[in-house]
Amino acid sequence: MKRRLVRNTIASAATMSIMLTFAPTSHAQTVTVTPLPVAEPVVVTPTSPEAIAETVTISKTLQSLGWYQTNGAAAIAKRQVTLTALTAKISANTKDCGANATMLAEISRTSTSLNTLGLALAATTDGQTARTLYRNIFGEHRVYALVAPKTGIVERCDTQLLRSDTLAAEAARLQTMIDKAKADGVDTTVAQLAKDSALATLAGVNPIPSQATVLGLVPDRGDKALLAANNAALKAANQQLDASLAQQRTVNAQLDAVRAALRQDVKIDIAQDKVNAKLAAEAKRTAAAAERAAKKAAATAAREAARVGTVKVAA
């Protein structure tokens, strides 16, 4: 009964779709890799239409003072909404790769600077000054081309730390199941090796270095070389996070393999129990038949002895 409970618990832990070949053929199972336990944030790069719009040269054609003030106020308001959302994302993270406070401070400085710029734009009566202030909304701040991508990298790093903790907790839970199955007499060698392999892979996951080269990036203010360097650094950081994400996906697949192997080990053990029970029943029937035959032979011998004795007395 204990083994059946273990088997049913494990069977509900994962479904089936890719072939796992780490185990011996007799233990190979087809399983579906379950979704990662913590959703990965959307990768933010300086290639969105909004980011590209920030990095292109603003037309040199002069607009009216009112045009700069109206469109500038709208652009600032839009960016303030974005900055508020970025603050909420970082503040909501339960893990910290070490840059949350730094990123929140940068977002706050950017917001304050935009507010100051907006007040100056609204107060000016000079068209040329308004044009300069309007251009500074984009060139001096780079909310979409720099601040948002940097925040995205910090958020991804925090999320991957959380996911690693979740995967480690799941590995510990599976170890408890392996120990219980082993105590019930199940050969858990394959499941144990798969679980140990998962932990070894998990130990190599480290998203924190991805932040090192992006936290100090500053707005390019129209410097094309600096813009290119910023974009390259952001891309490299995201590639590092992609690599650690791939490792976590491997761990997730390995934990699915643990479930599959343990399920198979329990299944084999139960099958062997059935064979043993069948052999025991057969041996019991054979023994009973032999006992009946012996009793029958003894009874026959007794009757024959009695008959012979009666014949002798009569003689």
Side-chain angles (χ1 to χ4, degrees), residues 144-294:
Y144 298 111
L146 185 60
V147 179
K150 286 172 67 174
T151 303
I153 288 166
V154 172
E155 184 188 9
R156 289 188 73 193
C157 186
D158 291 349
T159 299
Q160 289 187 10
L161 283 188
L162 175 61
R163 186 184 299 114
S164 286
D165 285 353
T166 305
L167 290 170
E170 175 62 6
R173 187 184 75 85
L174 289 173
Q175 183 64 60
T176 299
M177 296 173 70
I178 291 170
D179 293 342
K180 186 178 187 304
K182 186 176 182 179
D184 285 342
V186 178
D187 181 0
T188 59
T189 302
V190 174
Q192 186 66 62
L193 287 173
K195 178 260 172 184
D196 292 344
S197 178
L199 281 186
T201 303
L202 186 60
V205 176
N206 182 17
I208 294 177
S210 64
Q211 301 178 131
T213 57
V214 301
L215 291 180
L217 299 181
V218 296
D220 57 89
R221 296 182 174 85
D223 183 330
K224 293 183 178 181
L226 181 55
L227 173 63
N230 284 350
N231 289 347
L234 293 168
K235 181 179 179 180
N238 274 312
Q239 287 175 338
Q240 290 183 41
L241 290 168
D242 289 343
S244 56
L245 173 60
Q247 287 180 293
Q248 291 182 324
R249 284 176 172 155
T250 297
V251 173
N252 203 51
Q254 289 173 320
L255 293 180
D256 278 331
V258 175
R259 300 184 191 99
L262 187 53
R263 186 166 59 247
Q264 182 74 350
D265 288 340
V266 173
K267 180 179 178 181
I268 289 172
D269 185 73
I270 290 173
Q272 186 60 52
D273 281 352
K274 289 180 179 179
V275 171
N276 293 340
K278 184 177 180 180
L279 291 174
E282 183 64 30
K284 185 177 181 180
R285 286 194 296 270
T286 301
E291 184 179 357
R292 288 193 300 271

Side-chain angles (χ1 to χ4, degrees), residues 72-140:
I76 290 172
K78 180 181 179 181
R79 281 156 177 75
Q80 293 291 19
V81 170
T82 297
L83 293 171
T84 298
L86 295 178
T87 297
K89 286 183 177 181
I90 297 299
S91 299
N93 288 340
T94 58
K95 300 293 291 186
D96 186 355
C97 284
N100 288 6
T102 299
M103 202 65 240
L104 287 173
E106 179 172 342
I107 293 171
S108 178
R109 287 195 303 271
T110 302
S111 176
T112 299
S113 179
L114 281 171
N115 276 335
T116 301
L117 191 154
L119 292 173
L121 180 58
T124 188
T125 57
D126 178 69
Q128 185 61 43
T129 300
R131 178 173 179 272
T132 299
L133 293 172
Y134 178 78
R135 290 169 62 88
N136 285 346
I137 297 171
F138 310 95
E140 293 289 333

